[in-house]
Amino acid sequence: MIKVGIVGGTGYTGVELLRLLAPHPEVQLTAITSRKEDGLPVADMFPSLRGHVDLAFSSPDKADLTECDVVFFATPHGVAMAQAPELLAAGVKVIDLAADFRLKDQATFEKWYKIPHTAPQLLEEAAYGLPELNREEIQKARLIANPGCYPTTMQLGFYPLLKAGIVDAGNLIADCKSGVSGAGRKAEIGTLFSESSDNFKAYGVHGHRHTPETAAQLQRFTEQQVGLLFTPHLVPMIRGMHATLYARLNQDISNEALQALFEAQYRDAEFVDVMPFGAHPETRSTRGSNMLRIALHRPDNGNTVVILVVQDNLVKGASGQAVQCMNLMFGFPESTGLKQIALLP
Amino acid sequence: MIKVGIVGGTGYTGVELLRLLAPHPEVQLTAITSRKEDGLPVADMFPSLRGHVDLAFSSPDKADLTECDVVFFATPHGVAMAQAPELLAAGVKVIDLAADFRLKDQATFEKWYKIPHTAPQLLEEAAYGLPELNREEIQKARLIANPGCYPTTMQLGFYPLLKAGIVDAGNLIADCKSGVSGAGRKAEIGTLFSESSDNFKAYGVHGHRHTPETAAQLQRFTEQQVGLLFTPHLVPMIRGMHATLYARLNQDISNEALQALFEAQYRDAEFVDVMPFGAHPETRSTRGSNMLRIALHRPDNGNTVVILVVQDNLVKGASGQAVQCMNLMFGFPESTGLKQIALLP
Amino acid sequence: MIKVGIVGGTGYTGVELLRLLAPHPEVQLTAITSRKEDGLPVADMFPSLRGHVDLAFSSPDKADLTECDVVFFATPHGVAMAQAPELLAAGVKVIDLAADFRLKDQATFEKWYKIPHTAPQLLEEAAYGLPELNREEIQKARLIANPGCYPTTMQLGFYPLLKAGIVDAGNLIADCKSGVSGAGRKAEIGTLFSESSDNFKAYGVHGHRHTPETAAQLQRFTEQQVGLLFTPHLVPMIRGMHATLYARLNQDISNEALQALFEAQYRDAEFVDVMPFGAHPETRSTRGSNMLRIALHRPDNGNTVVILVVQDNLVKGASGQAVQCMNLMFGFPESTGLKQIALLP
Amino acid sequence: MIKVGIVGGTGYTGVELLRLLAPHPEVQLTAITSRKEDGLPVADMFPSLRGHVDLAFSSPDKADLTECDVVFFATPHGVAMAQAPELLAAGVKVIDLAADFRLKDQATFEKWYKIPHTAPQLLEEAAYGLPELNREEIQKARLIANPGCYPTTMQLGFYPLLKAGIVDAGNLIADCKSGVSGAGRKAEIGTLFSESSDNFKAYGVHGHRHTPETAAQLQRFTEQQVGLLFTPHLVPMIRGMHATLYARLNQDISNEALQALFEAQYRDAEFVDVMPFGAHPETRSTRGSNMLRIALHRPDNGNTVVILVVQDNLVKGASGQAVQCMNLMFGFPESTGLKQIALLP
């Protein structure tokens, strides 16, 4: 049993961590902090947790997080970088679900996130928390930068093609669609039910923070010069993410060989499901589960490969992946506490 | 052509007024005020109005509303009472979509709305804007208190039974359900898509402001001592309101006679559709239209009548009804500009 | 480990049984029948089960259900009554999720379900599968009639008041709302997305099969003469059920005493959560879980008690309750395999 | 006033035609046929039409469509081709909302629609009903092939770039998203609320009938050799279509010049709204209206142009466009009866 703390338990990734960690057989939930909700029982804010979580939120000042074995940051960008150095110094491992340690390059971080980085000395050390591409680093890490939800789908979808060097790496297109929970639990007009229900739109087409993260990591993992055009859209559903990825083949290859490439790559990945060639994965097939599903297409047998990727943005796209990293960091079997079957319908 | 002003055009009843008034053949939109959005073209905030509304929001200070023939207040409670006296003095008619003049009794208002009433001298004069029950007063009025959305359904549903004196007026139950747009266009967590989609709940069961409004008006219109238990619920849909009303018969009466009672009552009401006995009206049959539909039921031929009432909460429940009142006040045919057919599907 | 068979695995209660039984530590899934889908891997129809369920559907002729310890019928009404006698004779326990054995009275069954009952000799023996009110019978039963979804909420909500004899049992009103999955996985126009999304309506107000079931069982459990008016409505959400129950007190009682009554009744019920007096339970707080939540209200401190009840119609309202019964029948701890936390958001 | 008939009034394009034509000042609705619903008042099937449409469905045998000036076919593929020759011979104009006359090439039609074409002699004559690109032909036509919903967005989005010859015509990508009503009003499991709500998926990625239609028409209109990769997706909303189009520039051009190109092209198009460069159009800004909105993007100022296009699939994507064609065919102002403002929220 390890002692686990959560900083920022009032958002969607926070409550999702609680759903996954409360029944986790190796975890003892020790502290959940919220400055604003100090003293409020967690289950009063999230009645789904009644009977499962007895903790109350505590003010960051009062909670002694240094007693924990690991602390998750389910906070806005900028919080983890402020507190991680002290925790690490006290021997506590840190998993940041925000962006503070996702970009190795400080200048790029500051350009896209528009805040100064206060712990640049940790950028190099932080392990990028995408187990399927970076398992060994994660196992040895003290500090994890949990990937963004979109980057998870884009990287796992493009990786086998880039690694094999069979597509034009400089001209990737990722047309991605996210459920509304990706915007977080913040009081904003744009994500009100009456604004986002029965509606569909693109956003941030001019440029999104997940583009440099995805491009840089893919480059690091595949040693290819990546050019990526990423277009995010908002879907009127709570959870779910669908990536439609387009890559141009630079050589002749059969559909069978393409399929074999993906199956080989993810043979041992418990949470990546390579579906039959030509399948149409649905986001709901991952609702509440840590699975990510991939299917390949080759329209008109042309030279463009279309890769469809789905996941639950709050699980494999955030809190589930963070728990998967935790399992690796502490030597638990990778899928411990993560075997929930998707809720369908 | 009359000159029309709107105070508070940035909420849902505001944009709905614009949708109805922009093509209204007797109306010239003259001013739309918003302190916060001064100078912003209205169509920049609501792209649905591009090509239909050329006005920009103007600060209340700059807009000369006294040039208007009528001013609508699509504002929070408390704004109309502050500005109405001056406008009325300048010969401008006023239609308030909020609650400032709905309750004749100042103490009751202040109890439920928790703000002092600053224009109590107008309470008696204000005409309650429910044309089907109060047409003559409205035609002569300078100042209209537009009914709440729930009260419209409850009053039109219960009225014929109470007027005929055939039900136990002291034990009415109204189990009502509203789409989320009824909560307005405010940045709040509770009405986020991720909070209210795929969910259903009751709220305010202990007591809701629309209970005293409904009871008092029904009492005034029917001269019966009304006891009303009202339970509001939130439905994951944008527009639409459904009232399920329960009344106990105090005498023997056939279903045919019940049905005849309602048909006679609303024979000349263009916007009240009495459906066949036993029908199940759907809210979507009124989406975007000013129609309110009613159907009667008598489960197991017992002594309880169930009245089902549907409307679009933003049209007959708010802005459409306000335009209907305007038409009456200026002698236009009652349905001018209000003949939109509901959007189905 | 017991061997479990499912007859009719292609509907929503079928796939929900699979979600709950596949990871159940005491269960070995042995056979899933479907005449139409013989040979199709279950996970091809429900991709959420990929990696969790390896079985294929088999034709009823081929599947030897008599090898099972228990067989669930997730079928339309009429199927279980045809097959149960043979299975019981072979020593197999039977849990019917349909209505075949819910009504003790054959004539009432045939009146409401419009099919002849082919196994009336089993009506008396069948245990009504509502553990909170009928645990002992269930533990000893060979044949379970799993309750309807609406009846579960109505019975657990009204029971403590009726048992205590403090309300007018002859005048109960149940205004209930269900998610669309309650209509099942059948190709029908009325439950298409484009018909039932962004819409709300009542249905079957003239009379619904769940009324006699609820009234008869409540009468049996409480020995009161029950008069029930039940109005079902359709909510544009996938899962979830909300009952708003109205009962008239026939004596003076404090709110504290009311609350104490419910808390005492359900103190040992793991799956009934009595929330604080005046709470507003949301259906989503039970999404995917076997919890049913209850909250009491007393509007205006009058003599009507309003009881709010929520559950997931596919879990506590169907498949979860069936598994709960199975646990009791085989002596497993009642909550085995049923501890899933609701998915929120 | 012209006499108008509708063949197949029970689907979504049928009821949408009725919504638009009932209040059309130049139209007298004369006959609505349905073999199955003969005698049923139209408003009994679609209560939204109560008070607006008095007609009943009539069997095709009884309805004398040759008395009409124009007949709309809101039918499955194959019906219009069977009846059009006789109607045209009788001097009746025909507007087909299905695909019978969209493809000039009989073999291509038969390959994609898998039925023999029974009126190939009309293929050449039929005018493609996309007014913005084909107004003159439509004005003179007896027979209109109303475009598919997806092709309308793709053609109007790509056209100015192709016409100007500034993009690589052989490598167009169209990632399109449609509301569920596009699947029609058919009893099917895949479009049930419980299957398509809170879900997102691609479909038909291997090949869709709208690809050859779009490519062929764009080729005809622009005289460029078009290569198009089209990926359709299903969005959990009733109405609305969003196209995200990707085209590679083959020359240097400023964003201002790109924007000017589109504004010049659609200056006189009442129903095409070119939004400011960099805008993100939302589908709801067209809900219920005949507007199509376009916005241009140039991510990272690279050499790919992203064109965002939105419309209501049932209005500009189907019935509204058909009425627009009718207006042109009979010399009415193009926007007659089509000035509805979108319903927002």
Side-chain angles (χ1 to χ4, degrees), chain C residues 152-222:
Chain C
T152 297
T153 60
M154 292 189 273
Q155 288 174 75
L156 295 181
F158 280 130
Y159 177 80
L161 297 171
L162 290 171
K163 187 71 181 173
I166 59 175
V167 295
D168 180 359
N171 281 301
L172 305 175
I173 292 180
D175 194 284
C176 297
K177 299 88 177 175
S178 174
V180 184
S181 64
R185 192 167 168 274
K186 293 184 299 262
E188 287 181 335
I189 286 180
T191 48
L192 289 179
F193 181 90
S194 300
E195 300 286 316
S196 48
S197 177
D198 214 48
N199 188 34
F200 188 88
K201 65 170 179 183
Y203 64 97
V205 179
H206 47 279
H208 188 285
R209 296 158 169 185
H210 285 171
T211 308
E213 175 186 342
T214 306
Q217 296 291 351
L218 275 177
Q219 224 151 289
R220 200 165 65 92
F221 291 131
T222 67

Side-chain angles (χ1 to χ4, degrees), chain B residues 246-300:
Chain B
Y246 300 89
R248 299 287 297 270
L249 291 166
N250 58 21
Q251 56 190 261
D252 211 31
I253 181 170
S254 71
N255 293 345
E256 291 69 26
L258 277 173
Q259 178 75 6
L261 196 67
F262 277 73
E263 291 184 355
Q265 178 65 42
Y266 296 121
R267 179 154 300 130
D268 300 325
E270 280 183 86
F271 295 116
V272 178
D273 174 23
V274 179
M275 298 181 75
F277 193 91
H280 295 99
E282 309 190 26
T283 60
R284 64 179 183 143
S285 76
T286 65
R287 189 191 290 137
S289 98
N290 200 48
M291 291 300 299
L292 175 147
R293 304 190 199 274
I294 300 182
L296 299 175
H297 288 258
R298 185 94 166 267
D300 294 323

Side-chain angles (χ1 to χ4, degrees), chain A residues 231-275:
Chain A
T231 316
H233 301 77
L234 193 66
V235 183
M237 62 184 176
I238 297 177
R239 289 164 179 251
M241 177 163 284
H242 187 289
T244 310
L245 309 177
Y246 300 89
R248 299 286 297 271
L249 291 165
N250 59 20
Q251 57 191 257
D252 212 28
I253 181 170
S254 72
N255 293 345
E256 291 69 27
L258 277 173
Q259 178 75 6
L261 196 66
F262 277 73
E263 291 184 355
Q265 177 65 44
Y266 297 120
R267 178 154 301 129
D268 300 324
E270 280 183 86
F271 296 117
V272 177
D273 174 22
V274 179
M275 300 181 74

Side-chain angles (χ1 to χ4, degrees), chain C residues 12 180-181 184-189 191-198 235-238, chain D residues 12 180-181 184-189 191-198 235-238:
Chain C
Y12 291 143
V180 184
S181 64
R185 192 167 168 274
K186 293 184 299 262
E188 287 181 335
I189 286 180
T191 48
L192 289 179
F193 181 90
S194 300
E195 300 286 316
S196 48
S197 177
D198 214 48
V235 183
M237 61 184 176
I238 298 177
Chain D
Y12 292 144
V180 184
S181 64
R185 191 168 168 275
K186 291 184 299 263
E188 287 181 336
I189 286 181
T191 47
L192 290 179
F193 182 89
S194 300
E195 300 286 316
S196 48
S197 179
D198 214 47
V235 183
M237 61 182 176
I238 299 178

